[in-house]
Amino acid sequence: MDHSYQAWQDVLAEEFFGRQHAGHPTLFYVDNDVEQELRHGYGLEEPLALCVGRFLRLGTVEPYSALEDYRWRKRQQDKDGVPAFLPLLACSVMAASRMVNDRNHRATAYHARFSELLTGDEKRLGSQHYEPVSRMWQVLASWQHSQQGSRGLCTIPAPADLPSNRSMIGFAQSQALLSGADRTFIPKLFRTLREYGTTWPLPGDTLLAQIEIRGMEQHFSKGFRNALQEEFRPFLARLIGNYAASWDGSDELVPSGVTRAELLVRLDAGRLGWVARLRSAEQEARIELKGGVVLEQLGDTAYYEVTGLPAPGADTLTRSLRRDGDGLVLSRPASSVLVLARDDVLGVWAATDGFRPGEAHVVLAAPTAQRDVQRLLDRAATTGRSADAGKLAWVPQGWVLHKPVIFDDAVTLRRALREVQGVVGLLQPPAQFKLRLEGGLKLAPSLDPRLYLRGGEPRVILPDTVEGAGTLLIDGKERPETKKAIAAGRPVPLAVLRLEQGRHTVSYAGVEIGFVTADEAVVEPKLSKVCGFTVVDDRASSSASLLAEQDRPTAVTGAACTPATDQDTTAVMTLCRRDADEVLFAAADGRLWTFRAPEQPDWWTDRLPDTPAPLRFEADFHGVGGWLLERRNGRWKGRPVNPGTPEPKSAGKPRAWARAVLNAQQASDESSWTEYVQAAKELDR
């Protein structure tokens, strides 16, 4: 691969999966106009299709193998980076954007256009070659989900969402349904429809019907209009419905270069409140927005405490909320249904994007959505079907509460969400794109990331494929214990199988992954830096240090790390005041210690009821000299302890030592202390 291919990879990664898209739905839309804009805007000399076509191995069974090999090499360098096959996938979208009736092809003739784009010949790349490209789309979708929205919210469909006759090319076609002009027009459409609607967001099917009733399809691209009449209409409905669910009422769906902070509802201690989530990295701990709204980061997390907004209630939940700041927008779309689940980071109930099969939820429904929610729960919920009769103070006025709502059968849930109209239809469980392992008790990730404790095996997450696409095999055999979970669409636990220790395989729909179980693992630590005492002439140094490679064989390290001292060096004991505000010891070699008074033992009050104050505590000094400094009532006093000649650059943290000495320079008039103060001044210059 040459520089031109990597240049296109970098441009596409930044343009479509850059951090400016954090929290926003992203479409990987590339047509001829977009390709030319990128080429001229970034100064790329070679056209995209010509660049990709040069690396195809035409005439072989695997024409894209060079691109796949390059992706794997790049992954070894950066495991979290955007998969390095974006130029090829961009070409697959360009081919989909050209799917219209012309003199040579029907509108459905995708492979001819894809082959002609990359090779100049419509017959050199056929459908039999395309399976690796469809796998690349699923890898890209899985990667985008793993980034938790920091690179944009994924709009690539799961395999189960695609028409059966478009199971491979549907990924590229899905990204060509909405052009850039379509997405620019969408906010205007939403604003028009919301003026006449009683609830928001409207489900995708209703939005498409309203577009047709009002004759608004003429404002959209050919790809959009064609999808209205084809098998892609169900997916187009979901896509535009998801855009409606994330629309915060602004004039732009994705403000360029502006980070979106999502405003979420949380339930904590019987009270509803706001919390913000920033999916992008490297944000400040405190962010001020217009209108007196302030975000304060909660520890080292992506969540922020929100102040300055009215509390969540019947009015605020059903209206869009938006506050602008410097390069950041805090927003929440209007919704008449609120779904809460336990958040592992916050440790409380917080708003979630979709239902999680097998987990408990709290569902709140406004009057306009109560009928749709009840229909969904009646069809799919295991618990929580009946509304909670208790009148809780934190439930918004007029809203209905269901808890705990649990969906044990994911297949039934997905089917019910497709059938039930209304806002709840947008709460689809997270899509799964590949076979993977989740959870489990890992023994030693540094030794082997797939080494688990026997009896603590992980769960198997199955991809969202067409029903009946494969059989789950454990070590090459179908196990009856897993059939119930598979039928319900839930993660399949492996711990119940009582597997023997050793290597095991899990295979499904032609994909196989392996893992290892063991009762124990011995892990030898890998040491890049070793600390200890160097030994010269059978005598250890008086202070520890990082050891050079050549000093390690003879140095004193580990449990034996006790420095040798001169035979004639005796320990010096001195008394320190307990009532001192601060007690420091400035060693001659530049080390600095802070002394803490030990706690008084319980027996003191029994044996010495009239203990005089202030009491003192002992401090022992072995082979080290310096000055003991005590601060009381704002004044420092010092006492020498084998002070010696100060050489603060030889060890410790000299600058901290110098600051402490200069702060206490009035502690004594002795000449030895004067030498310490002079050494500190030289360091402080």
Side-chain angles (χ1 to χ4, degrees), residues 442-452 503 515-516:
K442 294 187 177 182
L443 267 178
S446 61
L447 186 65
D448 187 342
R450 290 190 174 177
L451 175 61
Y452 297 88
R503 296 193 174 276
F515 65 97
V516 184

Side-chain angles (χ1 to χ4, degrees), residues 408-420:
D408 278 337
D409 193 319
V411 175
T412 302
L413 171 61
R414 292 179 185 276
R415 186 179 298 116
L417 287 170
R418 287 195 295 267
E419 296 173 354
V420 174

Side-chain angles (χ1 to χ4, degrees), residues 211-230:
I211 290 172
E212 293 174 317
I213 291 172
R214 299 172 185 273
M216 290 184 174
E217 65 270 21
Q218 61 182 334
H219 298 288
F220 288 90
S221 63
K222 288 184 178 180
F224 182 94
R225 295 198 301 269
N226 291 337
L228 281 175
Q229 313 300 327
E230 296 180 355

Side-chain angles (χ1 to χ4, degrees), residues 194 200 313-320 332-336 366 368 399:
R194 190 176 176 185
W200 190 265
D315 294 333
T316 53
L317 291 175
T318 53
R319 294 200 312 264
S320 298
R332 180 185 184 274
S335 180
S336 52
T368 53
W399 287 46

Side-chain angles (χ1 to χ4, degrees), residues 346-487:
L346 294 174
V348 297
W349 296 90
T352 183
D353 299 329
F355 291 112
R356 306 171 187 170
E359 297 186 22
H361 304 80
V362 173
V363 180
L364 294 164
T368 53
Q370 289 172 12
R371 181 172 175 271
D372 294 329
V373 169
Q374 191 61 60
R375 289 176 60 205
L376 173 68
L377 299 183
D378 288 342
R379 295 189 182 193
T382 307
T383 64
R385 295 183 179 182
S386 300
D388 196 307
K391 299 296 182 181
L392 300 177
W394 55 269
V395 177
Q397 184 68 32
W399 287 46
V400 169
L401 168 68
H402 295 265
K403 68 175 182 68
V405 176
I406 300 176
F407 300 93
D408 278 337
D409 193 319
V411 175
T412 302
L413 171 61
R414 292 179 185 276
R415 186 179 298 116
L417 287 170
R418 287 195 295 267
E419 296 173 354
V420 174
Q421 296 297 313
V423 182
V424 291
L426 301 170
L427 297 168
Q428 295 281 344
Q432 305 297 333
F433 291 89
K434 63 179 182 179
L435 183 71
R436 61 186 178 89
L437 302 177
E438 179 184 78
L441 299 175
K442 294 187 177 182
L443 267 178
S446 61
L447 186 65
D448 187 342
R450 290 190 174 177
L451 175 61
Y452 297 88
L453 178 68
R454 189 164 67 97
E457 293 84 359
R459 299 182 300 170
V460 179
I461 307 298
L462 300 180
D464 296 333
T465 56
V466 181
E467 294 183 12
T471 301
L472 179 66
L473 302 177
I474 311 298
D475 295 333
K477 300 179 181 179
E478 187 175 5
R479 300 293 293 266
E481 301 96 319
T482 65
K483 290 184 177 180
K484 185 176 181 181
I486 296 173

